[in-house]
Amino acid sequence: MAGGAREVLTLQLGHFAGFVGAHWWNQQVRSAGSSTDAKEPPGELCPDVLYRTGRTLHGQETYTPRLIFMDLKGSLSSLKEEGGLYRDKQLDAAIAWCGKLTTHKEELYPKNPYLQDFLSAEGVLSSDGVWRVKSIPNGKGSSPLTTTTTPKPLIPTEASIRVWSDFLRVHLHPRSIRMIQKYNHDGEAGRLEAFGQGESVLKEPKYQEELEDRLHFYVEECDYLQGFQILCDLHDGFSGVGAKAAELLQDEYSGRGIITWGLLPGPYHRGEAQRNIYRLLNTAFGLVHLTAHSSLVCPLSLGGSLGLRPEPPVNFPYLHYDATLPFHCSAILATALDTVTVPYRLCSSPVSMVHLADMLSFCGKKVVTAGAIIPFPLAPGQSLPDSLMQFGGATPWTPLSACGEPSGTRCFAQSVVLRGIDRACHTSQLTPGTSPPSALHACTTGEEILAQYLQQQQPGVMSSSHLLLTPCRVAPPYPHLFSSCSPPGMVLDGSPKGAAVESIPVFGALCSSSSLHQTLEALARDLTKLDLRRWASFMDAGVEHDDVAELLQELQSLAQCYQDGDSLVD
C-alpha cells in the first residue's frame, strides 16, 4: 500500500450501478496507465485511493479495485463470479465422494468479442490452468493495453452490450463479486423489484455475514481508510440493499465518510404503471433511508424528474447519446462521477470524504445535486476566461440529479472541479497595454480565475474549487458520443472525420441547492396520491402502512431543509 494514500472502499449494488461502475473503473485504468507517459501531466490523482495491490498464489503482483459488488443471478454473462485474474485449475477442490455423481452444467454465455480481444492483450491462460498477466511498465498488476505493435481497435458495439461485464476491461479480485442467487436478472419472475425485498436480503445471515467478512478483508489491509462510496440503484429493490448496507457501515465504521450515489437509468414511460409506481416508492424509500445512514447522498440520472410525470432526458450541447441505452447513460454519469469525486482522490492536499460531506451537508442538507459540462467547451485559441465569459450569468452545467433546471434556484454550498485544461490556456494572453475585457481576464492564475468566476456566479456562497490538468479518459470501450471534438477534446465547429476522442475536459459540481425543496416535496405529493391497496405486492415485500406514513414525514422534513434561506456564508 502506498504510504499516505487515504483509501476508499467502493460498494456497487445493482445492475445499472454495474454499468456506471464498469465505465468508472475503465476510466481509472486509463488514468493510472497514462501516468508513465512523458506527455502527460504529473500524477494529480492517487490511484491507490481506489485500488489495492495483491499477489496471486503463484507470486504475481496484482492491482485491483477495492470493490464489493452485488448483482443478481444471470447478470454476469461470461464473467465468472470469482473473476479471472486468480483462476487456477490446480486449486479446484478434490471430490471426496466415491459414489455415483450427477453433473448439472449451465449453458455458457458466449464471450463478447471485445472481451476476447482484451484478454488476449492482457495475458494468457497457460496449459497448467494458470492465468499469466503480461508485464507492464508501472509494475502494478493488470494494466491498460501495452503492446509493441498497433492492436486492432478494442471497440464494443452497442448491439453487443447486454450486461456491464461485456465491456469491463478491469480484472476484479475474487472477493469483489457476490451474486444474489435468490433473484433473477432476466425474465419477469423472481425479480428484486421492491425496497422491502432488498432490505430482507441483507437481513439474511448468509448475505449479511459474507458482506461483513468482505468488508473486514478490505478494511483491515488499509492504513488510512477515509471511508466508503456506495453506487446504488435507486429504482428497484437494490435501494433496500443499499439502505441496509449503509446502516451496517454506519454501525461498524463510525466516523468514516459514507458517500452514496443513487443511480437511476432513464427514460421511463407513462404506460408502464407498475414499474413506475415501484420506481417512485423505491426511490423515495431509498433516498430517505440512505440519507439517514450516509454522510452525503447524491441522486444521479439523465432523466428530468424523480416523480411520476415523465420528463425528457437532459441535453448536452456537444454529446449525441441514446437515452434508452444504459451503455450510453452510464458512460456520461461515470464521467461526471470521475470528476466530482476528485477532491478526495488527490495526491496532494486531498479533501477527505468527511470534510467534503460536512462542507456540503450543513443544517441537515445531506442530499446534494450534481451537474457537469461534458465536454467543457474550450475552442482552439481560447483561454479559460474567454470560455467562462460565454456562459454569462446562467448556471453553466447540465443537471444530473433529475431535479430540474438549476436556473433561478439558490445554491447553499458547492464543490466544483474543472479538469483537462492545458496550463497555457488557463490565463488570458493579452497584449501589453490592452485593458482586460473582464475581471477574469485580469487574474494571473487559473485557480484565481475559477474562484473569481464562482464568486461572481454565487456571491457569498461557500465554494470549494479544484483545477486539474488531468483530463477525463474516454477511450474505447467508452461509446463514441463526441461528434464535434478534436482528439484532445477541444470543441470544434465541424466534426473531425475519423478522429477518435480519447480525453476531454470536464467541468463538474456538487451543490446543496434549493431545487431539492421542490423536488422532494413533489416526490411526497406523488406518494400521497397513491392508493396503496392497489400495490399490495410492494407492501407484501416487507413494508407496512406505517412505514409509508413515516416516509412522507421524513421527505417533508428533508424538503424543509432546502427552503430558500440563508447560505452558509453571508
PDB file of all heavy atoms in Angstrom, residues 119-151:
ATOM      1  N   LEU A 119      -8.710  -9.798 -23.331  1.00  0.00           N
ATOM      2  CA  LEU A 119      -7.998 -10.821 -22.576  1.00  0.00           C
ATOM      3  C   LEU A 119      -6.725 -11.264 -23.288  1.00  0.00           C
ATOM      4  O   LEU A 119      -5.696 -11.492 -22.658  1.00  0.00           O
ATOM      5  CB  LEU A 119      -8.910 -12.021 -22.320  1.00  0.00           C
ATOM      6  CG  LEU A 119     -10.042 -11.776 -21.306  1.00  0.00           C
ATOM      7  CD1 LEU A 119     -10.975 -12.970 -21.281  1.00  0.00           C
ATOM      8  CD2 LEU A 119      -9.470 -11.502 -19.927  1.00  0.00           C
ATOM      9  N   SER A 120      -6.784 -11.378 -24.612  1.00  0.00           N
ATOM     10  CA  SER A 120      -5.583 -11.777 -25.344  1.00  0.00           C
ATOM     11  C   SER A 120      -4.514 -10.704 -25.252  1.00  0.00           C
ATOM     12  O   SER A 120      -3.321 -10.994 -25.306  1.00  0.00           O
ATOM     13  CB  SER A 120      -5.925 -12.059 -26.810  1.00  0.00           C
ATOM     14  OG  SER A 120      -6.366 -10.875 -27.457  1.00  0.00           O
ATOM     15  N   ALA A 121      -4.944  -9.440 -25.100  1.00  0.00           N
ATOM     16  CA  ALA A 121      -3.977  -8.351 -24.966  1.00  0.00           C
ATOM     17  C   ALA A 121      -3.393  -8.297 -23.557  1.00  0.00           C
ATOM     18  O   ALA A 121      -2.259  -7.884 -23.354  1.00  0.00           O
ATOM     19  CB  ALA A 121      -4.646  -7.012 -25.297  1.00  0.00           C
ATOM     20  N   GLU A 122      -4.197  -8.719 -22.554  1.00  0.00           N
ATOM     21  CA  GLU A 122      -3.773  -8.578 -21.158  1.00  0.00           C
ATOM     22  C   GLU A 122      -2.939  -9.751 -20.657  1.00  0.00           C
ATOM     23  O   GLU A 122      -2.131  -9.593 -19.756  1.00  0.00           O
ATOM     24  CB  GLU A 122      -5.009  -8.455 -20.260  1.00  0.00           C
ATOM     25  CG  GLU A 122      -5.741  -7.130 -20.422  1.00  0.00           C
ATOM     26  CD  GLU A 122      -4.919  -5.980 -19.890  1.00  0.00           C
ATOM     27  OE1 GLU A 122      -4.383  -6.095 -18.782  1.00  0.00           O
ATOM     28  OE2 GLU A 122      -4.802  -4.967 -20.585  1.00  0.00           O
ATOM     29  N   GLY A 123      -3.144 -10.951 -21.207  1.00  0.00           N
ATOM     30  CA  GLY A 123      -2.420 -12.096 -20.691  1.00  0.00           C
ATOM     31  C   GLY A 123      -2.838 -13.367 -21.402  1.00  0.00           C
ATOM     32  O   GLY A 123      -3.464 -13.321 -22.452  1.00  0.00           O
ATOM     33  N   VAL A 124      -2.515 -14.503 -20.802  1.00  0.00           N
ATOM     34  CA  VAL A 124      -2.812 -15.768 -21.448  1.00  0.00           C
ATOM     35  C   VAL A 124      -3.059 -16.824 -20.377  1.00  0.00           C
ATOM     36  O   VAL A 124      -2.461 -16.799 -19.298  1.00  0.00           O
ATOM     37  CB  VAL A 124      -1.638 -16.202 -22.362  1.00  0.00           C
ATOM     38  CG1 VAL A 124      -0.367 -16.414 -21.557  1.00  0.00           C
ATOM     39  CG2 VAL A 124      -1.995 -17.448 -23.164  1.00  0.00           C
ATOM     40  N   LEU A 125      -3.992 -17.737 -20.669  1.00  0.00           N
ATOM     41  CA  LEU A 125      -4.244 -18.868 -19.795  1.00  0.00           C
ATOM     42  C   LEU A 125      -3.369 -20.019 -20.259  1.00  0.00           C
ATOM     43  O   LEU A 125      -3.566 -20.566 -21.336  1.00  0.00           O
ATOM     44  CB  LEU A 125      -5.728 -19.276 -19.841  1.00  0.00           C
ATOM     45  CG  LEU A 125      -6.145 -20.392 -18.879  1.00  0.00           C
ATOM     46  CD1 LEU A 125      -6.000 -19.928 -17.439  1.00  0.00           C
ATOM     47  CD2 LEU A 125      -7.576 -20.827 -19.157  1.00  0.00           C
ATOM     48  N   SER A 126      -2.388 -20.381 -19.453  1.00  0.00           N
ATOM     49  CA  SER A 126      -1.422 -21.395 -19.850  1.00  0.00           C
ATOM     50  C   SER A 126      -2.023 -22.792 -19.720  1.00  0.00           C
ATOM     51  O   SER A 126      -3.093 -22.984 -19.159  1.00  0.00           O
ATOM     52  CB  SER A 126      -0.164 -21.273 -18.993  1.00  0.00           C
ATOM     53  OG  SER A 126      -0.475 -21.451 -17.634  1.00  0.00           O
ATOM     54  N   SER A 127      -1.285 -23.778 -20.229  1.00  0.00           N
ATOM     55  CA  SER A 127      -1.787 -25.148 -20.255  1.00  0.00           C
ATOM     56  C   SER A 127      -1.984 -25.726 -18.852  1.00  0.00           C
ATOM     57  O   SER A 127      -2.773 -26.645 -18.667  1.00  0.00           O
ATOM     58  CB  SER A 127      -0.817 -26.038 -21.038  1.00  0.00           C
ATOM     59  OG  SER A 127       0.482 -25.980 -20.454  1.00  0.00           O
ATOM     60  N   ASP A 128      -1.288 -25.171 -17.840  1.00  0.00           N
ATOM     61  CA  ASP A 128      -1.459 -25.681 -16.482  1.00  0.00           C
ATOM     62  C   ASP A 128      -2.612 -24.998 -15.754  1.00  0.00           C
ATOM     63  O   ASP A 128      -2.816 -25.195 -14.552  1.00  0.00           O
ATOM     64  CB  ASP A 128      -0.171 -25.511 -15.666  1.00  0.00           C
ATOM     65  CG  ASP A 128       0.267 -24.047 -15.550  1.00  0.00           C
ATOM     66  OD1 ASP A 128      -0.423 -23.174 -16.114  1.00  0.00           O
ATOM     67  OD2 ASP A 128       1.293 -23.801 -14.890  1.00  0.00           O
ATOM     68  N   GLY A 129      -3.370 -24.166 -16.497  1.00  0.00           N
ATOM     69  CA  GLY A 129      -4.546 -23.535 -15.902  1.00  0.00           C
ATOM     70  C   GLY A 129      -4.257 -22.254 -15.168  1.00  0.00           C
ATOM     71  O   GLY A 129      -5.137 -21.703 -14.518  1.00  0.00           O
ATOM     72  N   VAL A 130      -3.038 -21.737 -15.246  1.00  0.00           N
ATOM     73  CA  VAL A 130      -2.672 -20.526 -14.515  1.00  0.00           C
ATOM     74  C   VAL A 130      -2.762 -19.328 -15.448  1.00  0.00           C
ATOM     75  O   VAL A 130      -2.255 -19.362 -16.567  1.00  0.00           O
ATOM     76  CB  VAL A 130      -1.244 -20.647 -13.934  1.00  0.00           C
ATOM     77  CG1 VAL A 130      -0.872 -19.370 -13.200  1.00  0.00           C
ATOM     78  CG2 VAL A 130      -1.150 -21.851 -13.009  1.00  0.00           C
ATOM     79  N   TRP A 131      -3.416 -18.252 -14.974  1.00  0.00           N
ATOM     80  CA  TRP A 131      -3.517 -17.028 -15.769  1.00  0.00           C
ATOM     81  C   TRP A 131      -2.218 -16.240 -15.640  1.00  0.00           C
ATOM     82  O   TRP A 131      -1.825 -15.844 -14.545  1.00  0.00           O
ATOM     83  CB  TRP A 131      -4.698 -16.200 -15.274  1.00  0.00           C
ATOM     84  CG  TRP A 131      -4.881 -14.928 -16.053  1.00  0.00           C
ATOM     85  CD1 TRP A 131      -4.556 -13.678 -15.660  1.00  0.00           C
ATOM     86  CD2 TRP A 131      -5.414 -14.812 -17.372  1.00  0.00           C
ATOM     87  NE1 TRP A 131      -4.863 -12.777 -16.636  1.00  0.00           N
ATOM     88  CE2 TRP A 131      -5.392 -13.440 -17.700  1.00  0.00           C
ATOM     89  CE3 TRP A 131      -5.906 -15.721 -18.307  1.00  0.00           C
ATOM     90  CZ2 TRP A 131      -5.848 -12.963 -18.922  1.00  0.00           C
ATOM     91  CZ3 TRP A 131      -6.352 -15.248 -19.513  1.00  0.00           C
ATOM     92  CH2 TRP A 131      -6.324 -13.879 -19.813  1.00  0.00           C
ATOM     93  N   ARG A 132      -1.542 -16.021 -16.762  1.00  0.00           N
ATOM     94  CA  ARG A 132      -0.271 -15.291 -16.774  1.00  0.00           C
ATOM     95  C   ARG A 132      -0.512 -13.877 -17.289  1.00  0.00           C
ATOM     96  O   ARG A 132      -0.890 -13.680 -18.437  1.00  0.00           O
ATOM     97  CB  ARG A 132       0.749 -15.988 -17.683  1.00  0.00           C
ATOM     98  CG  ARG A 132       0.931 -17.479 -17.377  1.00  0.00           C
ATOM     99  CD  ARG A 132       1.570 -17.704 -16.024  1.00  0.00           C
ATOM    100  NE  ARG A 132       1.845 -19.127 -15.802  1.00  0.00           N
ATOM    101  CZ  ARG A 132       2.268 -19.643 -14.657  1.00  0.00           C
ATOM    102  NH1 ARG A 132       2.459 -18.850 -13.619  1.00  0.00           N
ATOM    103  NH2 ARG A 132       2.486 -20.935 -14.550  1.00  0.00           N
ATOM    104  N   VAL A 133      -0.332 -12.891 -16.404  1.00  0.00           N
ATOM    105  CA  VAL A 133      -0.539 -11.500 -16.783  1.00  0.00           C
ATOM    106  C   VAL A 133       0.713 -10.962 -17.436  1.00  0.00           C
ATOM    107  O   VAL A 133       1.830 -11.184 -16.954  1.00  0.00           O
ATOM    108  CB  VAL A 133      -0.876 -10.644 -15.539  1.00  0.00           C
ATOM    109  CG1 VAL A 133      -1.116  -9.200 -15.942  1.00  0.00           C
ATOM    110  CG2 VAL A 133      -2.104 -11.208 -14.836  1.00  0.00           C
ATOM    111  N   LYS A 134       0.556 -10.234 -18.549  1.00  0.00           N
ATOM    112  CA  LYS A 134       1.713  -9.643 -19.214  1.00  0.00           C
ATOM    113  C   LYS A 134       2.328  -8.557 -18.335  1.00  0.00           C
ATOM    114  O   LYS A 134       1.637  -7.846 -17.629  1.00  0.00           O
ATOM    115  CB  LYS A 134       1.297  -9.054 -20.568  1.00  0.00           C
ATOM    116  CG  LYS A 134       0.918 -10.120 -21.591  1.00  0.00           C
ATOM    117  CD  LYS A 134       0.606  -9.497 -22.936  1.00  0.00           C
ATOM    118  CE  LYS A 134       0.280 -10.576 -23.971  1.00  0.00           C
ATOM    119  NZ  LYS A 134      -0.046  -9.996 -25.276  1.00  0.00           N
ATOM    120  N   SER A 135       3.621  -8.422 -18.413  1.00  0.00           N
ATOM    121  CA  SER A 135       4.308  -7.410 -17.618  1.00  0.00           C
ATOM    122  C   SER A 135       3.928  -6.021 -18.111  1.00  0.00           C
ATOM    123  O   SER A 135       3.612  -5.817 -19.281  1.00  0.00           O
ATOM    124  CB  SER A 135       5.823  -7.593 -17.725  1.00  0.00           C
ATOM    125  OG  SER A 135       6.234  -7.471 -19.066  1.00  0.00           O
ATOM    126  N   ILE A 136       3.968  -5.046 -17.190  1.00  0.00           N
ATOM    127  CA  ILE A 136       3.582  -3.688 -17.535  1.00  0.00           C
ATOM    128  C   ILE A 136       4.607  -2.708 -17.000  1.00  0.00           C
ATOM    129  O   ILE A 136       5.372  -3.017 -16.092  1.00  0.00           O
ATOM    130  CB  ILE A 136       2.197  -3.354 -16.952  1.00  0.00           C
ATOM    131  CG1 ILE A 136       2.228  -3.543 -15.433  1.00  0.00           C
ATOM    132  CG2 ILE A 136       1.126  -4.189 -17.557  1.00  0.00           C
ATOM    133  CD1 ILE A 136       0.980  -3.047 -14.769  1.00  0.00           C
ATOM    134  N   PRO A 137       4.644  -1.496 -17.554  1.00  0.00           N
ATOM    135  CA  PRO A 137       5.696  -0.546 -17.196  1.00  0.00           C
ATOM    136  C   PRO A 137       5.684  -0.110 -15.751  1.00  0.00           C
ATOM    137  O   PRO A 137       6.717   0.032 -15.134  1.00  0.00           O
ATOM    138  CB  PRO A 137       5.421   0.647 -18.130  1.00  0.00           C
ATOM    139  CG  PRO A 137       4.574   0.120 -19.221  1.00  0.00           C
ATOM    140  CD  PRO A 137       3.814  -1.019 -18.661  1.00  0.00           C
ATOM    141  N   ASN A 138       4.482   0.143 -15.166  1.00  0.00           N
ATOM    142  CA  ASN A 138       4.473   0.686 -13.818  1.00  0.00           C
ATOM    143  C   ASN A 138       4.483  -0.387 -12.741  1.00  0.00           C
ATOM    144  O   ASN A 138       4.439  -0.082 -11.554  1.00  0.00           O
ATOM    145  CB  ASN A 138       3.259   1.612 -13.630  1.00  0.00           C
ATOM    146  CG  ASN A 138       1.940   0.900 -13.848  1.00  0.00           C
ATOM    147  OD1 ASN A 138       1.908  -0.328 -13.948  1.00  0.00           O
ATOM    148  ND2 ASN A 138       0.858   1.657 -13.933  1.00  0.00           N
ATOM    149  N   GLY A 139       4.521  -1.636 -13.147  1.00  0.00           N
ATOM    150  CA  GLY A 139       4.698  -2.720 -12.196  1.00  0.00           C
ATOM    151  C   GLY A 139       3.521  -2.988 -11.300  1.00  0.00           C
ATOM    152  O   GLY A 139       3.658  -3.611 -10.268  1.00  0.00           O
ATOM    153  N   LYS A 140       2.320  -2.546 -11.652  1.00  0.00           N
ATOM    154  CA  LYS A 140       1.168  -2.732 -10.792  1.00  0.00           C
ATOM    155  C   LYS A 140       0.127  -3.600 -11.477  1.00  0.00           C
ATOM    156  O   LYS A 140      -0.860  -3.124 -12.015  1.00  0.00           O
ATOM    157  CB  LYS A 140       0.558  -1.390 -10.389  1.00  0.00           C
ATOM    158  CG  LYS A 140       1.420  -0.634  -9.392  1.00  0.00           C
ATOM    159  CD  LYS A 140       0.701   0.582  -8.869  1.00  0.00           C
ATOM    160  CE  LYS A 140       1.512   1.254  -7.765  1.00  0.00           C
ATOM    161  NZ  LYS A 140       0.854   2.454  -7.238  1.00  0.00           N
ATOM    162  N   GLY A 141       0.381  -4.892 -11.479  1.00  0.00           N
ATOM    163  CA  GLY A 141      -0.599  -5.861 -11.931  1.00  0.00           C
ATOM    164  C   GLY A 141      -1.166  -5.600 -13.307  1.00  0.00           C
ATOM    165  O   GLY A 141      -0.525  -5.072 -14.179  1.00  0.00           O
ATOM    166  N   SER A 142      -2.427  -6.010 -13.482  1.00  0.00           N
ATOM    167  CA  SER A 142      -3.088  -5.854 -14.766  1.00  0.00           C
ATOM    168  C   SER A 142      -3.289  -4.395 -15.095  1.00  0.00           C
ATOM    169  O   SER A 142      -3.637  -3.598 -14.253  1.00  0.00           O
ATOM    170  CB  SER A 142      -4.443  -6.555 -14.712  1.00  0.00           C
ATOM    171  OG  SER A 142      -5.064  -6.486 -15.944  1.00  0.00           O
ATOM    172  N   SER A 143      -3.062  -4.033 -16.326  1.00  0.00           N
ATOM    173  CA  SER A 143      -2.985  -2.640 -16.703  1.00  0.00           C
ATOM    174  C   SER A 143      -3.571  -2.410 -18.075  1.00  0.00           C
ATOM    175  O   SER A 143      -4.004  -3.331 -18.750  1.00  0.00           O
ATOM    176  CB  SER A 143      -1.519  -2.221 -16.687  1.00  0.00           C
ATOM    177  OG  SER A 143      -1.318  -0.953 -17.221  1.00  0.00           O
ATOM    178  N   PRO A 144      -3.592  -1.149 -18.525  1.00  0.00           N
ATOM    179  CA  PRO A 144      -4.058  -0.891 -19.879  1.00  0.00           C
ATOM    180  C   PRO A 144      -3.213  -1.610 -20.919  1.00  0.00           C
ATOM    181  O   PRO A 144      -2.115  -2.072 -20.652  1.00  0.00           O
ATOM    182  CB  PRO A 144      -3.900   0.624 -20.024  1.00  0.00           C
ATOM    183  CG  PRO A 144      -3.858   1.136 -18.641  1.00  0.00           C
ATOM    184  CD  PRO A 144      -3.244   0.059 -17.816  1.00  0.00           C
ATOM    185  N   LEU A 145      -3.740  -1.649 -22.114  1.00  0.00           N
ATOM    186  CA  LEU A 145      -3.084  -2.339 -23.217  1.00  0.00           C
ATOM    187  C   LEU A 145      -1.706  -1.765 -23.493  1.00  0.00           C
ATOM    188  O   LEU A 145      -1.541  -0.576 -23.661  1.00  0.00           O
ATOM    189  CB  LEU A 145      -3.965  -2.187 -24.462  1.00  0.00           C
ATOM    190  CG  LEU A 145      -3.471  -2.865 -25.724  1.00  0.00           C
ATOM    191  CD1 LEU A 145      -3.454  -4.369 -25.534  1.00  0.00           C
ATOM    192  CD2 LEU A 145      -4.374  -2.486 -26.895  1.00  0.00           C
ATOM    193  N   THR A 146      -0.682  -2.613 -23.476  1.00  0.00           N
ATOM    194  CA  THR A 146       0.669  -2.161 -23.789  1.00  0.00           C
ATOM    195  C   THR A 146       1.298  -3.191 -24.714  1.00  0.00           C
ATOM    196  O   THR A 146       1.693  -4.274 -24.296  1.00  0.00           O
ATOM    197  CB  THR A 146       1.525  -2.034 -22.510  1.00  0.00           C
ATOM    198  OG1 THR A 146       1.457  -3.272 -21.792  1.00  0.00           O
ATOM    199  CG2 THR A 146       1.016  -0.917 -21.620  1.00  0.00           C
ATOM    200  N   THR A 147       1.371  -2.884 -25.992  1.00  0.00           N
ATOM    201  CA  THR A 147       1.951  -3.803 -26.951  1.00  0.00           C
ATOM    202  C   THR A 147       2.896  -3.046 -27.852  1.00  0.00           C
ATOM    203  O   THR A 147       2.819  -1.834 -27.991  1.00  0.00           O
ATOM    204  CB  THR A 147       0.861  -4.469 -27.809  1.00  0.00           C
ATOM    205  OG1 THR A 147       0.126  -3.444 -28.490  1.00  0.00           O
ATOM    206  CG2 THR A 147      -0.100  -5.289 -26.968  1.00  0.00           C
ATOM    207  N   THR A 148       3.810  -3.763 -28.465  1.00  0.00           N
ATOM    208  CA  THR A 148       4.781  -3.122 -29.340  1.00  0.00           C
ATOM    209  C   THR A 148       4.217  -2.892 -30.728  1.00  0.00           C
ATOM    210  O   THR A 148       4.690  -2.060 -31.468  1.00  0.00           O
ATOM    211  CB  THR A 148       6.043  -3.993 -29.450  1.00  0.00           C
ATOM    212  OG1 THR A 148       5.662  -5.303 -29.877  1.00  0.00           O
ATOM    213  CG2 THR A 148       6.727  -4.096 -28.101  1.00  0.00           C
ATOM    214  N   THR A 149       3.185  -3.657 -31.076  1.00  0.00           N
ATOM    215  CA  THR A 149       2.545  -3.451 -32.377  1.00  0.00           C
ATOM    216  C   THR A 149       1.204  -2.781 -32.175  1.00  0.00           C
ATOM    217  O   THR A 149       0.604  -2.862 -31.109  1.00  0.00           O
ATOM    218  CB  THR A 149       2.335  -4.804 -33.084  1.00  0.00           C
ATOM    219  OG1 THR A 149       1.509  -5.634 -32.265  1.00  0.00           O
ATOM    220  CG2 THR A 149       3.664  -5.489 -33.327  1.00  0.00           C
ATOM    221  N   THR A 150       0.725  -2.133 -33.202  1.00  0.00           N
ATOM    222  CA  THR A 150      -0.555  -1.435 -33.107  1.00  0.00           C
ATOM    223  C   THR A 150      -1.686  -2.457 -33.112  1.00  0.00           C
ATOM    224  O   THR A 150      -1.863  -3.194 -34.085  1.00  0.00           O
ATOM    225  CB  THR A 150      -0.719  -0.476 -34.300  1.00  0.00           C
ATOM    226  OG1 THR A 150       0.378   0.434 -34.300  1.00  0.00           O
ATOM    227  CG2 THR A 150      -2.030   0.281 -34.183  1.00  0.00           C
ATOM    228  N   PRO A 151      -2.474  -2.527 -32.015  1.00  0.00           N
ATOM    229  CA  PRO A 151      -3.550  -3.512 -31.964  1.00  0.00           C
ATOM    230  C   PRO A 151      -4.757  -3.031 -32.742  1.00  0.00           C
ATOM    231  O   PRO A 151      -4.904  -1.850 -33.020  1.00  0.00           O
ATOM    232  CB  PRO A 151      -3.880  -3.572 -30.470  1.00  0.00           C
ATOM    233  CG  PRO A 151      -3.574  -2.189 -29.977  1.00  0.00           C
ATOM    234  CD  PRO A 151      -2.401  -1.695 -30.808  1.00  0.00           C
TER     235      PRO A 151
END
